[in-house]
Amino acid sequence: MGREKDAKGDGKAKHKATKLKKLSDNEGAVAGGDAIKNSAKTTKAAERTENGKPHKKAKTPKTEPLESASSTREPVKPEPEDGVFAAKKTGLKRKRIKDEAMEGPSRSSASPASKTKNKRHEEEAQKMKLKKRTEKTVKKEEGEHPVSKKTKRTKEDIEGARQLKIKKKEEEEQSRWRWWEEEKYEDGVKWRFLEHNGPSFPPEYQPLPNNVHFFYNGKKVKLSLAAEEVALFFAQMLDHEYTTKKVFRENYFKDWRKEMTHEERLLITDLDKCDFGELHAMHKAKVEARKGQTKEEKLVLKEANQKVVDEYGYCLLDHHKERIGNFKIEPPGLFRGRGEHPKQGMLKKRIQPEDVIINCSKEARIPVPPTGHRWKEVRHDNTVTWLASWTENIQSAIKYIMLNANSKLKGEKDWEKYEIARKLKSCVDDIRNQYGQDLKSRQMVTRQRAVALYFIDKLALRAGNEKEEGESADTVGCCSLRVEHITLHEKLEGNECVVEFDFLGKDSIRYYNKVPVIKKVFKNLQLFVENKGPGDDLFDRLNTGMLNKHLSSLMAGLTAKVFRTYNASITLQQQLKQLTNKSDNEPEKLLSYNRANRAVAILCNHQRAPPKTFDQSMANLQAKIDARKEALSLGETELKQAKKEAKTRGSSDTKQQILVERKKAAVKRCEEQLLKMEVQATDREENKQIALGTSKLNYLDPRISVAWCKNMDVPIEKIYNKSQRDKFAWAIDMTEDDFEF
DNA sequence: AACCGTACTTAGTAACCTGTGA
DNA sequence: TCACAGGTTACTAAGTACGGTT
């Protein structure tokens, strides 16, 4: 919460990313941090754009993508998978997919074997069922090991565990559905068979114990069950900043009163007179108790959880068991909108089975609703991917139960997304020329569209759909920018035609940036703001619908958000090329990877609140580094000493020679450790306010990373954790080291 | 063209888990 | 052995996109 406040002043982090500090350079850490803090400085790359000077060094991501295209590297190689999602020039998205399925090259790779494959998959499905059982036993064994034998773990034990791990991995590999080798379904068909157990519902409300009381105006009040439950929602949040906010309190109180009985409503008229102290204390005690549980208690809980996952966490989709992403119905509570959300604090109601629509195959076993209940509806729509849905009461938005990111349904879509982005790469020059021309159009709409596109392309802004006022926080994207969100500077800090952006974007994250733009854009902007008030739309003739319609006419499947994907991925690829050397050691390579990733995160404005413990942990690390340094210098003197001694004693003294070698090795080890820590410190410092996860998960074509790993001899595990590897299994499987985005 | 409903991706934070070093 | 930092996962809000209706 309140992140926009944190961002004040220094604004958006901007990684200057001039030539990277040598890793061995101790000040690297500091320099990295400064780059971030200095932030909102005009980008160097932008100067470049305008004076057209290509330069090797600057890698400020902000503007790189725009000009890079013209200067860019070798043409894309026609990869085998290139054509899989190749879109037809004409026709809409849906149709396109159909066309591909009929004639796309995907057939060539997938169909010949498809019959045997289907068979294989059935076998695999069988195996999967088996596996589940074995997996469980495996887990158990693993779990028991450390408890029982930890103290006397023999080599065999360790070796055994290692083997077990390898075996497990192999098994998993065996049972994985290699959907990317199969043909795609026709049209909008998402599945042919879908069976699941429905969503899992949160537990019923447990009334307060008799010794916990709510007080109003100093007097003990026994609340009705409904009112009590909602009171507890508030009490549980008392430590949170939310409960101090006026809007939150007002919304809460209004909704709480709706849950009260008539008598309660008459009595309780002022939130300030409510004393939730005992409820709050009870909640805190519960949290503490959970922390203080014994191992056994925790294990029992874990097993119970696992049971729920086993029952509700998976579905059967076209012969394959797939993990469900969110199989739990969202429990009731108080709405936590982000930013200045007008509805924060409102009561998010408990969802009943009667509110839930189930989607599954006609042939499938229909999930059984909780006893005494029935579903709102059961439908069989295989053109959508959700298994269940309900309408939430705050914004009347529909919520869905859908599959996990490692599923076919999500993976295939993801793959398609990157293929569209790659397609943009091949025509981005034309599109840039086009909107360059459009900047001079006689039509106001066209010019607005061109400027908006310029922003979206150059700055990776979001499209900016219009949103209903008062329904959510006041945030904007490109098309919904208002005059008040930009300031035009003819001259600023040595640059001409600078646009200063300052607005709240998605999740009320502040976007602050000063960007030199080309003259035509600047003139247009001056025109757009003429005779307008601060609250007026900058692009008053434009919306995302019109923009996307135009884009889809330029390239099938092209929408505003494709530019974000494209620019993110192309930036990663370029940065990796520039930053990494084959001769670097692994920590250095990984730092470079993270820096490339970071460049993208900065481009996309992916921020995070600095971790609460940041300064502390930074200091700790520094202390460790200092200690290591001391140890190193000590080691060095010892080495010197030993050498000297060896010299005087002569080479015949093998004992002394051995000592020298040992000292040498110790020094070397020490140096390596030191380097690793320093690299870590640099990385962490540079990452203070930047979140890498979002771009890694949503914007960076995983094939770029996989190819890089192969080229650099870095194990994939170093950059993707388990769930990321699962999600990107398709890319890890199919990507060769010569992949080019 | 304004508006609405639907479906899906993208996003940051909080809770949880685990490996590690005192 | 235990605390705790840091990584991972769960959660759910907040976007984008698009088709249909008025």
Side-chain angles (χ1 to χ4, degrees), chain A residues 203-206 223-234 236 252 256 332 350:
Chain A
E204 285 302 311
Y205 174 64
Q206 300 294 319
L223 294 169
S224 65
L225 210 61
E228 186 186 282
E229 179 178 14
V230 179
L232 191 55
F233 291 153
F234 192 83
Q236 283 170 342
Y252 168 70
W256 185 28
R350 184 178 290 274

Side-chain angles (χ1 to χ4, degrees), chain A residues 149-163:
Chain A
K149 291 195 176 177
K150 199 177 177 182
T151 44
K152 286 202 176 164
R153 251 179 113 171
T154 60
K155 267 185 189 160
E156 297 90 81
D157 277 337
I158 296 169
E159 180 58 20
R162 210 170 61 91
Q163 290 296 332

Side-chain angles (χ1 to χ4, degrees), chain A residues 603-619:
Chain A
L603 172 70
C604 292
N605 200 34
H606 291 143
Q607 298 188 31
R608 63 165 184 173
K612 286 185 201 88
T613 55
F614 186 85
D615 289 339
Q616 182 60 53
S617 85
M618 222 46 219

Side-chain angles (χ1 to χ4, degrees), chain A residues 564-627:
Chain A
R564 244 168 109 81
T565 312
Y566 161 72
N567 278 320
S569 284
I570 204 79
T571 300
L572 178 76
Q573 181 165 291
Q574 284 169 192
Q575 291 285 301
L576 285 177
K577 226 177 237 177
Q578 278 177 39
L579 300 181
T580 38
N581 303 303
K582 197 110 206 223
S583 56
D584 289 347
N585 63 27
E586 196 173 280
E588 286 170 335
K589 283 176 182 168
L590 289 173
L591 176 62
S592 297
Y593 181 87
N594 276 350
R595 283 181 163 170
N597 191 168
R598 195 142 49 232
V600 176
I602 290 164
L603 172 70
C604 292
N605 200 34
H606 291 143
Q607 298 188 31
R608 63 165 184 173
K612 286 185 201 88
T613 55
F614 186 85
D615 289 339
Q616 182 60 53
S617 85
M618 222 46 219
N620 289 348
L621 190 56
Q622 194 53 51
K624 262 163 74 180
I625 288 172
D626 293 343

Side-chain angles (χ1 to χ4, degrees), chain A residues 66 428-442 446-447 449-455 457 518-521 524 550 554:
Chain A
L66 189 65
V428 75
D429 289 346
D430 293 340
I431 290 172
R432 285 171 178 161
N433 285 334
Q434 173 78 62
Y435 70 63
Q437 292 295 311
D438 286 348
L439 289 170
K440 296 178 284 189
S441 167
R442 253 173 279 113
T446 310
R447 269 195 280 175
R449 195 180 67 200
V451 172
L453 211 39
Y454 177 89
F455 285 163
D457 187 17
I518 56 176
K519 210 158 200 150
K520 273 184 283 180
V521 167
N524 271 316
H550 172 244
L554 298 177

